[in-house]
Amino acid sequence: MNAAEFSELLQRRRSIRSFLSTPLPDGAVDEILEDARHIPSWSNTRPYCVAVASGEQLERLRERYVEAFDASLVLRAHTKSDKTNDVTSPSPEDLANLTPLGTPDGDFTTRLRYPNELRERSRACGLGLYSQLGIARDDAVGRQDAARRNLAFFGAPTAMWIFVHESMLPFSAQDAGILLHTILLSAQVRGIDSCPLGELATWRHPVDSEFDVPEGYQLITGLALGYRSDDAVNQFRADHPPVTRVATAR
């Protein structure tokens, strides 16, 4: 692969938000992870591990993540209703059942306010995506439906979760980033589309119900793998501004 081909590969890969149900070929994930084992890491420690799901296992995880998301919507609405004395507030029994599902139990906080110098980029990306989806700014239900699709892995037939060793942070997070991008590119060169899914790190209990994750490893992100559908959402592409270069000190 020459420089031009590499640049083309980088630019061809994009985050896909609607997948076909077509399963990946047998051995494709193994080949991708075989590529990924050749990447550098901090002192060659490889301070990460991955979980991979497809088929019935993935369907169970899809259901549990959507269940957690929907429960979180009720809990957030309840918080607002407490301030307004809304009579539609759920009963104490309903709340008791929803709280373990909807309350974020991830290892990292995923719902943050972006720093002012970065917030505009996130805002522009969101506005562009919602415009592509035809969702108006005041369409709360439409936005919730769009967000819910993250937790359903956008219909992908395969998903991965990446865990980092808590004792090696922040370097294990750095290495996980290298791992993630290598997986995305290795998939793309095989004609397999992808989408990073950081939102999966909001809840830990769905993945713990299916995998025996080693002690000391924290869930930092997930990703979806599959083949893009012809849905219009897949025509969206976020802007890619130049990498910020720090000025020379004077």
Side-chain angles (χ1 to χ4, degrees), residues 122-137 139-140 142-150 233 236:
S122 174
R123 181 174 177 274
C125 181
L127 288 174
L129 177 58
Y130 288 136
S131 176
Q132 183 69 39
L133 290 168
I135 299 173
R137 185 180 182 87
D139 184 358
R143 287 173 176 249
Q144 288 175 0
D145 288 343
R148 183 181 289 106
R149 288 194 282 272
N150 282 271
V233 69
F236 171 74

Side-chain angles (χ1 to χ4, degrees), residues 227-238:
Y227 301 101
R228 71 183 70 185
S229 75
D230 59 3
D231 192 292
V233 69
N234 288 333
Q235 297 174 16
F236 171 74
R237 184 156 195 172

Side-chain angles (χ1 to χ4, degrees), residues 126-174:
L127 288 174
L129 177 58
Y130 288 136
S131 176
Q132 183 69 39
L133 290 168
I135 299 173
R137 185 180 182 87
D138 59 352
D139 184 358
V141 173
R143 287 173 176 249
Q144 288 175 0
D145 288 343
R148 183 181 289 106
R149 288 194 282 272
N150 282 271
L151 284 309
F153 323 129
F154 296 117
T158 297
M160 284 190 192
W161 289 259
I162 298 178
F163 303 83
V164 295
H165 203 296
E166 60 185 353
S167 296
M168 284 288 291
L169 289 167
F171 310 111
S172 55
Q174 165 194 280

